[in-house]
Amino acid sequence: MYQKNKILKAIQFTLLGGAAITAVPFTVQAAENETQAEVERIEVTGSRIRRSQMEGANPVQLLGKLEIEKMGLSSVGEVLQTLTASAGAASNTQNNNGSDGATRFSLRGIGEQRTLILINGRRVVAGGAGADTSVDLNAIPVSMVKRIEVLKDGASAVYGSDAIAGVVNIITRNDFDGFEINTTAGVTGEGDGEQIGFDVTYGSTSDKGNTVVNFGYHEQKSIFMGDRGFSEYELRAYPDGHTEQGGSSASPWANVDGAPGSANDPDDPLADANVTRGPEFGDWRTRDGGTDSYNYNPVNYLQTPRDRFYIAALTNQELGSAGIFEDVRAFGEASYSQTSGDVLIAPEPLAPLIFFGTAAPYSPDNYYNQTQGPKDAQGNSYELNDWRRRMLESGGRQDSQESRTSRIVVGLEGQFTNGWDWELSYNYGENSYNQVSVGNYHLDRVAEAVGPTHFDSDNVLRCGATAADLIDGCVPLNIFGEPGTENEISDEMMQYISGNYPTMRDGGNKQTSWQFIVSGDLFEMPAGAVGFAFGLETRKETGFYQPDSLLMNGITTAGDSQPTKGGYSVDESFVELIIPVLDTVEIDFAARFSDYSNFGSNTTGKLGVRWRPSDSLLVRATASQAFRAPNLDELFRGAAIDFPEVHDRCADDNEIGNVNCIASGVPATGYNDDGVEQIPTQEAGNADLEPEEADILTAGIVYNTDLLDNMSFTLDYWSIELENAISQVGAQNRLDGCVDHGMFCDDMVRFSEGAATGQFIHIKDPFLNIGGINTSGIDFNAKFTAESSFGEFAFNFNTTYLLEYDKIVHDKLTVAHEGRFDVHNDGHFAKWKSNFSVDWTLNDFVSNVTVNYISGVEETEKGWWTEPFQRDVEANTTVNMQTAYYMNDNVNMSLGINNVFDEKPPYVFSAFGANTDVNTYQVIGRYMYLKLGVKF
């Protein structure tokens, strides 16, 4: 029982986490029943110099293993997205439409590509669909994590490119001894979204070293938008505060318009508007956007289904000494993870001309048009140029995805006879991805199937006006029938235009690097020894993305994309010094030189000051330069079509005759976009990009007091000024720049003739070096413990206050992000984000309550149905609870509830899908889980 109480005390102390890193590695080890006879010199994230003092000049937040476990989350990415310093729009498994299944992390909201991810101080290969920008954190099993150190400071001088916002260093369990099995099962309060998982860890320790092996599996079931009240319908907001159900103009009951010129005949049913049979499938009538739109939300995933398997092994073995090399040790890390899952969105809105820029006129000589289509006053069929049909019979558009990530690290480390440490390591990582998409349509075959038809000698309806024009194998398409009836689109029709045309994508990333580091005491000064580190690194990054021929030729509704392939290499050297100027003052200096194969060289530096005027107070500050080299996606992305939500202001009545709109291809008399909200946008890489550069400042204090046990406060100010930022201007920003300033009008590619004149073919939006980002804020942490007759309590409070976030898009547009959500400008930036937790340890029980708070933001709603207006998004507060029972030294059980009060996410009407921001808020509702752990 004494040993168990020691463990519980260690657990209670470790649960504090906190922003200061003082002595935490040792408490984590105590929680795993490991002890050390003396304090050793270790390497803390933010410095390559090993030292016994844990608090350096850099602000580092630590998440211990037990703090991670109390969250009840299965992904390292999900854990990181709960941090108060998380912002923006990093993806997760709540993303459905357009997702590659990855989970990412954006520190300070300046982009996941500007947050460096490390495992045990070494880089990790990027993951996703191929030639990716950042690490897929689903590839890192939580069960192998010993702690996570988050450096909230620029660190290019220490770690190289990508560390502009900071660094996440994931430290793995490399010294476990024994056998451990953990299982978990959970379900939402609605009885869906089930999750199950298990992991097994085995560790063996000998006089010569230690080996740890871990493998596990985790499965997450789907949840549909229709299963939650807030996302059951697409909602459109209005300035007076009311909302109306929206939907798509492409409906299962067809939406059609006739040939150009019909508007000249006042007796023509298609003179003024499109017509439809409506949800009632009655007679043809004028379409009403308020009642005849299709609600596509219910059949979209709100949480995507995912299966994840992983296996990892780590080893450290002593080899002995030889010559000048002492205590030589060999180490190795190997891991493999495989994630598979699906995304599912509503059935295809088949509208060849308006949505996909492909003419496929529905012929007046088509049998189905003649017998079921709309008629003019004389009873004649139309040639339907603009026709739209939601292909409900297909069951939806489904992407089946699989991602595999492998990583191997081998190396040697030890000491020279002069006491200096050295390390030589090789790091290899590889990621591969493939995706198969069904539910899309071959546009050339669609055009054939809606063309003229005739009956052959066997009275079989065939494509072609006569037998001489016969299109072999073609099955005429009936867009007018009612799904679920004998007149619906038949399996034979579907097979001809879709069945044999699944699209496939393959991609991958590869990373190799060598690293050599030496560190030690350079010489003695009156106040102590000068710490020194020097290193050489060489790294190569390659990646590719390969769509199939259907995608490359743009002949299906799955889109149009070209291959991506490229790579670069970099050779680097760095030096770091820690100089004790006085007994209470030390200076940290670092510099790194980088030589890239594709754009040249770069030098960055860092200067830090650490002052301890008393035992209880530490004052720290750093000023650093950082840079980020353009990544593979930004350099080499092949041209591809995406479909962001964009409001075409040139379709508004008050813009009729706008000279800039006319210059972009809009008729002088204006045009009606008929509620098209997703505009094709052509994105592409740019091989001429230059690196980003940033100036970063942090300054803060760490205060410890004896008023309460283990009581401390940290307060840090941070500022990032990023120049030459690599980004896309954004389709909406380009369009607004054209309308307001005459900028980017050449990037607006519109139809110049026919029924779709003025409609978009696409907007060009390649990567550029644009203006920059200026952001600043304050981080605060307070933690302490207290003992009472009712047990021991641990309190931990973290908060981030965003002072400023300005994105300089171009010289005439600066977008303020603080306190706002904008789907077109990087996502969600609450001014306040706070986490407060209380841990209670009593006998064999450890209970936790955590409150997560996100302050309200402002959004701009600007759909085609209303003039743009500002609205307030409510603050969001969720409460999580967990109780762990330690039956004995070997068995423990945890019961937890996330979102105890089933708090619904606030409505964010301008967000894409689900009427809320799925990147920021917890959307699945109350989630209950049970964990069981057994250790031998």
Side-chain angles (χ1 to χ4, degrees):
M1 181 61 69
Y2 171 73
Q3 181 62 36
K4 182 166 64 173
N5 287 337
K6 277 184 62 180
I7 295 173
L8 288 169
K9 285 179 177 289
I11 290 170
Q12 181 263 342
F13 184 71
T14 302
L15 285 171
L16 283 172
I21 199 170
T22 307
V24 175
F26 304 108
T27 64
V28 175
Q29 292 173 2
E32 295 187 355
N33 195 22
E34 299 159 6
T35 60
Q36 292 187 345
E38 60 182 19
V39 176
E40 64 174 326
R41 294 159 61 94
I42 68 170
E43 185 177 305
V44 177
T45 303
S47 173
R48 295 291 194 180
I49 298 175
R50 299 184 179 185
R51 53 193 297 172
S52 58
Q53 299 162 322
M54 305 302 157
E55 293 173 357
N58 306 294
V60 177
Q61 180 174 352
L62 180 134
L63 298 172
K65 179 175 176 60
L66 294 167
E67 186 178 6
I68 295 170
E69 289 179 349
K70 74 180 182 183
M71 297 180 184
L73 302 174
S74 63
S75 162
V76 169
E78 291 176 338
V79 170
L80 291 171
Q81 288 183 6
T82 67
L83 299 182
T84 61
S86 174
S91 61
N92 53 49
T93 58
Q94 294 180 164
N95 289 92
N96 181 42
N97 195 343
S99 169
D100 61 4
T103 299
R104 309 182 190 276
F105 175 57
S106 176
L107 184 61
R108 307 298 188 203
I110 65 172
E112 60 263 24
Q113 72 274 28
R114 300 183 181 100
T115 304
L116 179 62
I117 306 295
L118 307 175
I119 295 181
N120 297 323
R122 303 178 189 91
R123 287 180 177 262
V124 185
V125 66
D132 294 287
T133 64
S134 57
V135 174
D136 177 8
L137 292 162
N138 288 329
I140 304 171
V142 170
S143 57
M144 277 298 291
V145 176
K146 183 175 182 178
R147 66 182 185 273
I148 301 174
E149 298 174 1
V150 182
L151 171 66
K152 301 177 182 179
D153 191 10
S156 290
V158 178
Y159 297 108
S161 177
D162 306 338
I164 289 181
V167 177
V168 175
N169 191 9
I170 301 164
I171 310 299
T172 57
R173 303 171 70 184
N174 61 350
D175 47 9
F176 175 75
D177 191 18
F179 185 78
E180 182 179 271
I181 302 175
N182 294 288
T183 62
T184 183
V187 66
T188 73
E190 301 294 331
D192 55 12
E194 301 93 337
Q195 297 187 39
I196 60 171
F198 74 90
D199 65 80
V200 178
T201 305
Y202 171 75
S204 176
T205 301
S206 68
D207 294 339
K208 294 295 185 180
N210 180 270
T211 298
V212 179
V213 179
N214 169 269
F215 67 89
Y217 172 81
H218 182 267
E219 179 182 2
Q220 171 179 286
K221 296 294 184 64
S222 65
I223 300 174
F224 283 88
M225 288 186 189
D227 297 329
R228 298 295 185 270
F230 66 86
S231 57
E232 184 177 3
Y233 299 94
E234 181 205 6
L235 296 177
R236 294 172 178 168
Y238 290 82
D240 63 4
H242 86 282
T243 60
E244 296 179 3
Q245 293 178 11
S248 171
S249 62
S251 56
W253 35 90
N255 170 15
V256 303
D257 193 3
S262 63
N264 297 325
D265 182 357
D267 296 325
D268 192 328
L270 297 187
D272 297 317
N274 286 21
V275 296
T276 181
R277 293 180 61 191
E280 72 278 11
F281 283 90
D283 294 333
W284 289 98
R285 58 173 174 77
T286 300
R287 179 180 178 272
D288 183 341
T291 61
D292 296 331
S293 295
Y294 169 70
N295 177 27
Y296 48 77
N297 269 28
V299 292
N300 285 265
Y301 283 145
L302 183 65
Q303 173 177 278
T304 61
R306 296 286 151 186
D307 296 337
R308 185 167 69 249
F309 167 78
Y310 49 84
I311 184 168
L314 300 95
T315 187
N316 296 273
Q317 299 295 327
E318 295 183 7
L319 301 180
S321 302
I324 64 171
F325 302 102
E326 295 183 344
D327 299 326
V328 179
R329 296 173 297 280
F331 61 87
E333 304 172 16
S335 63
Y336 172 81
S337 69
Q338 179 174 305
T339 301
S340 58
D342 299 327
V343 301
L344 179 66
I345 56 179
E348 185 71 77
L350 188 57
L353 182 65
I354 300 302
F355 288 176
F356 301 102
T358 299
Y362 210 113
S363 172
D365 297 322
N366 183 289
Y367 170 78
Y368 295 113
N369 192 0
Q370 292 174 340
T371 57
Q372 301 178 48
K375 303 295 184 292
D376 65 16
Q378 288 74 43
N380 299 313
S381 298
Y382 296 95
E383 179 179 82
L384 304 175
N385 292 284
D386 173 11
W387 59 268
R388 311 177 193 187
R389 171 56 150 84
R390 181 70 58 163
M391 307 298 282
L392 208 62
E393 293 87 348
S394 72
R397 290 165 284 173
Q398 182 172 8
D399 297 343
S400 297
Q401 305 164 333
E402 186 171 274
S403 178
R404 299 162 295 275
T405 302
S406 304
R407 184 173 182 266
I408 297 174
V409 176
V410 294
L412 298 171
E413 63 179 358
Q415 291 185 331
F416 294 112
T417 53
N418 65 355
W420 282 25
D421 298 302
W422 62 271
E423 177 189 301
L424 175 65
S425 64
Y426 171 74
N427 183 355
Y428 174 84
E430 184 172 359
N431 166 262
S432 62
Y433 175 92
N434 64 275
Q435 175 177 309
V436 178
S437 302
V438 296
N440 297 292
Y441 298 88
H442 192 298
L443 290 167
D444 290 346
R445 288 206 161 191
V446 169
E448 294 172 348
V450 299
T453 63
H454 73 280
F455 285 94
D456 65 11
S457 58
D458 296 323
N459 203 34
V460 175
L461 187 65
R462 308 296 294 272
C463 299
T466 65
D469 302 319
L470 179 67
I471 301 174
D472 189 35
C474 176
V475 180
L477 175 65
N478 177 17
I479 69 165
F480 308 109
E482 180 177 357
T485 71
E486 62 181 9
N487 288 325
E488 71 176 358
I489 297 175
S490 68
D491 292 342
E492 292 77 14
M493 295 176 186
M494 195 71 72
Q495 177 65 30
Y496 181 70
I497 61 177
S498 177
N500 294 325
Y501 301 100
T503 57
M504 291 172 282
R505 301 167 172 87
D506 294 300
N509 305 275
K510 186 180 294 184
Q511 179 188 84
T512 59
S513 65
W514 286 91
Q515 181 175 268
F516 176 70
I517 301 173
V518 294
S519 64
D521 294 340
L522 194 61
F523 55 83
E524 289 288 334
M525 293 181 63
V530 175
F532 170 79
F534 172 77
L536 298 172
E537 299 179 18
T538 182
R539 177 166 51 92
K540 185 176 182 180
E541 304 273 0
T542 58
F544 76 97
Y545 164 76
Q546 181 62 58
D548 65 10
S549 59
L550 294 174
L551 289 164
M552 291 172 61
N553 291 309
I555 55 178
T556 76
T557 59
D560 180 355
S561 61
Q562 301 304 309
T564 298
K565 185 176 182 180
Y568 62 84
S569 60
V570 55
D571 297 319
E572 300 180 284
S573 60
F574 69 88
V575 63
E576 184 181 359
L577 294 170
I578 295 180
I579 305 169
V581 180
L582 300 171
D583 291 338
T584 58
V585 179
E586 68 178 25
I587 294 176
D588 185 356
F589 168 80
R592 175 178 288 257
F593 174 78
S594 305
D595 186 15
Y596 279 79
S597 61
N598 56 332
F599 68 79
S601 60
N602 185 278
T603 302
T604 56
K606 183 191 80 167
L607 181 65
V609 178
R610 179 179 178 274
W611 174 41
R612 186 179 285 280
S614 68
D615 291 340
S616 59
L617 179 63
L618 172 71
V619 181
R620 61 191 181 192
T622 63
S624 60
Q625 300 169 318
F627 88 107
R628 185 178 73 86
N631 58 47
L632 300 177
D633 182 59
E634 294 161 341
L635 287 168
F636 306 115
R637 179 191 292 185
I641 296 294
D642 195 11
F643 293 88
E645 286 191 346
V646 180
H647 171 60
D648 186 1
R649 291 170 52 199
C650 289
D652 298 345
D653 290 342
N654 60 350
E655 299 293 349
I656 292 177
N658 183 308
V659 294
N660 294 328
C661 288
I662 296 172
S664 77
V666 173
T669 55
Y671 89 104
N672 180 11
D673 65 357
D674 197 25
V676 174
E677 300 173 58
Q678 292 179 257
I679 293 180
T681 300
Q682 185 187 75
E683 303 173 346
N686 182 353
D688 296 325
L689 292 172
E690 294 294 326
E692 301 174 337
E693 297 180 350
D695 292 323
I696 301 161
L697 172 67
T698 66
I701 61 171
V702 179
Y703 181 71
N704 298 280
T705 176
D706 295 331
L707 294 176
L708 293 172
D709 291 342
N710 301 308
M711 186 175 188
S712 68
F713 303 92
T714 64
L715 182 68
D716 289 286
Y717 167 82
W718 50 270
S719 171
I720 302 172
E721 294 184 359
L722 176 67
E723 297 179 349
N724 216 28
I726 301 170
S727 179
Q728 293 164 275
V729 173
Q732 187 70 61
N733 287 332
R734 285 183 181 271
L735 181 54
D736 291 344
C738 173
V739 175
D740 295 331
H741 307 294
M743 304 172 64
F744 310 120
C745 291
D746 290 342
D747 298 326
M748 310 294 115
V749 183
R750 300 176 184 265
F751 288 100
S752 58
E753 59 183 6
T757 300
Q759 295 274 6
F760 270 108
I761 298 175
H762 62 252
I763 297 175
K764 297 179 181 179
D765 190 25
F767 284 103
L768 298 172
N769 287 107
I770 62 173
I773 297 172
N774 295 328
T775 181
S776 62
I778 296 172
D779 293 330
F780 175 74
N781 169 258
K783 60 181 181 178
F784 65 92
T785 61
E787 296 186 8
S788 75
S789 58
F790 301 102
E792 298 182 0
F793 294 86
F795 302 87
N796 190 16
F797 176 72
N798 279 292
T799 192
T800 295
Y801 178 61
L802 183 62
L803 292 169
E804 175 193 33
Y805 193 122
D806 288 337
K807 182 176 182 179
I808 305 167
V809 180
H810 52 75
D811 58 0
K812 295 183 180 180
L813 178 61
T814 296
V815 181
H817 285 28
E818 69 275 6
R820 292 193 54 81
F821 170 84
D822 191 334
V823 69
H824 304 298
N825 286 292
D826 309 307
H828 196 284
F829 294 85
K831 286 190 176 182
W832 288 98
K833 293 187 74 174
S834 303
N835 298 332
F836 175 66
S837 66
V838 180
D839 297 284
W840 176 34
T841 302
L842 179 65
N843 298 325
D844 301 329
F845 291 88
V846 179
S847 297
N848 166 266
V849 176
T850 300
V851 180
N852 302 308
Y853 172 78
I854 303 172
S855 66
V857 294
E858 190 176 55
E859 67 168 335
T860 301
E861 179 66 306
K862 49 182 177 182
W864 59 269
W865 59 90
T866 179
E867 290 295 319
F869 68 95
Q870 304 295 312
R871 68 173 297 271
D872 292 329
V873 176
E874 295 180 350
N876 180 248
T877 302
T878 56
V879 178
N880 303 332
M881 298 178 64
Q882 184 190 93
T883 294
Y885 172 52
Y886 290 81
M887 302 178 189
N888 52 50
D889 292 348
N890 299 320
V891 181
N892 66 84
M893 181 173 63
S894 301
L895 176 65
I897 305 177
N898 288 346
N899 195 359
V900 174
F901 300 107
D902 197 21
E903 179 75 12
K904 303 299 187 291
Y907 284 108
V908 187
F909 296 114
S910 64
F912 181 64
N915 302 312
T916 192
D917 178 14
V918 299
N919 296 302
T920 299
Y921 302 111
Q922 197 259 46
V923 301
I924 66 174
R926 183 184 295 115
Y927 175 73
M928 302 162 288
Y929 61 91
L930 178 67
K931 292 183 176 182
L932 178 64
V934 180
K935 184 188 294 185
F936 302 99

